[in-house]
Amino acid sequence: MVIGGLATLVPAVAGLLVWMDPLRRRGAGAETGFTRIAPLSALPSDGVPRKFTVLADRVDAWTKTPAAPVGAVYLRRTGERTVEALQTVCPHAGCFVDYRPEAKDFFCPCHNSTFTVDGAINDPKSPSPRPMDTLAVEVRGEEIWVRYQNFQAGQREKHAIS
Ligand code: FES
């Protein structure tokens, strides 16, 4: 009877642990760390922004996808070893913002918001309720790391949603 009980209990506990794995990981705390984006040498010294895809491990319940594209950022050199990072999603309604090299500004094609090269609202009639969203950035050695986050659109205040 003991052997039979163990033979039933061990697989049942193992199955329960696998089934509960996403909940246990969530309880361990959300991952809000920095992601390596690009080498510092990839940014020109003249302060012109460059767009980079953000790759990160995507974990969805029981599935882990390594180095999957999760978004994009604009990086701009503000000094020899200082960098500014901007979210590429428009704070108005979530369209993607383009950088226009000829105008030296950011432009959202959905409702014509424009932003200066540092992300500030360029036009007082802009429908965007706030400037482009800045992201925390660190230069570690010769690499640029960003804490990639998304933010609620359409709000005057910046609220992170992931
Ligand atoms: S979504 Fe960018 S201006 Fe409306």
Side-chain angles (χ1 to χ4, degrees):
M1 201 163 85
V2 171
I3 293 172
L6 284 175
T8 304
L9 191 63
V10 169
V13 169
L16 188 63
L17 288 175
V18 169
W19 184 70
M20 299 281 289
D21 189 52
L23 295 175
R24 289 188 302 129
R25 272 189 272 124
R26 190 174 299 152
E31 185 63 50
T32 57
F34 283 70
T35 301
R36 181 193 172 280
I37 303 294
L40 187 58
S41 60
L43 290 184
S45 58
D46 58 5
V48 173
R50 286 257 170 92
K51 189 176 181 179
F52 295 90
T53 300
V54 178
L55 301 174
D57 292 346
R58 184 182 289 163
V59 179
D60 181 11
W62 296 273
T63 309
K64 182 175 181 180
T65 308
V70 295
V73 291
Y74 284 110
L75 298 180
R76 182 175 76 91
R77 201 187 277 261
T78 55
E80 195 172 319
R81 294 193 54 81
T82 54
V83 173
E84 181 181 67
L86 295 172
Q87 174 57 269
T88 57
V89 174
C90 181
H92 178 226
C95 292
F96 289 106
V97 175
D98 297 322
Y99 178 68
R100 300 189 298 190
E102 68 286 349
K104 295 186 175 139
D105 70 0
F106 291 102
F107 173 71
C108 181
C110 290
H111 310 100
N112 300 332
S113 280
T114 59
F115 305 90
T116 60
V117 77
D118 62 356
I121 291 175
N122 206 10
D123 178 358
K125 294 180 189 149
S126 167
S128 180
R130 63 176 189 267
M132 290 172 71
D133 295 313
T134 56
L135 297 164
V137 58
E138 290 181 359
V139 176
R140 300 178 184 175
E142 295 305 312
E143 295 180 336
I144 303 165
W145 292 68
V146 170
R147 187 195 298 153
Y148 184 74
Q149 292 180 287
N150 290 297
F151 301 91
Q152 276 184 346
Q155 310 277 319
R156 184 174 290 276
E157 301 300 322
K158 181 177 158 188
H159 296 293
I161 55 174
S162 63

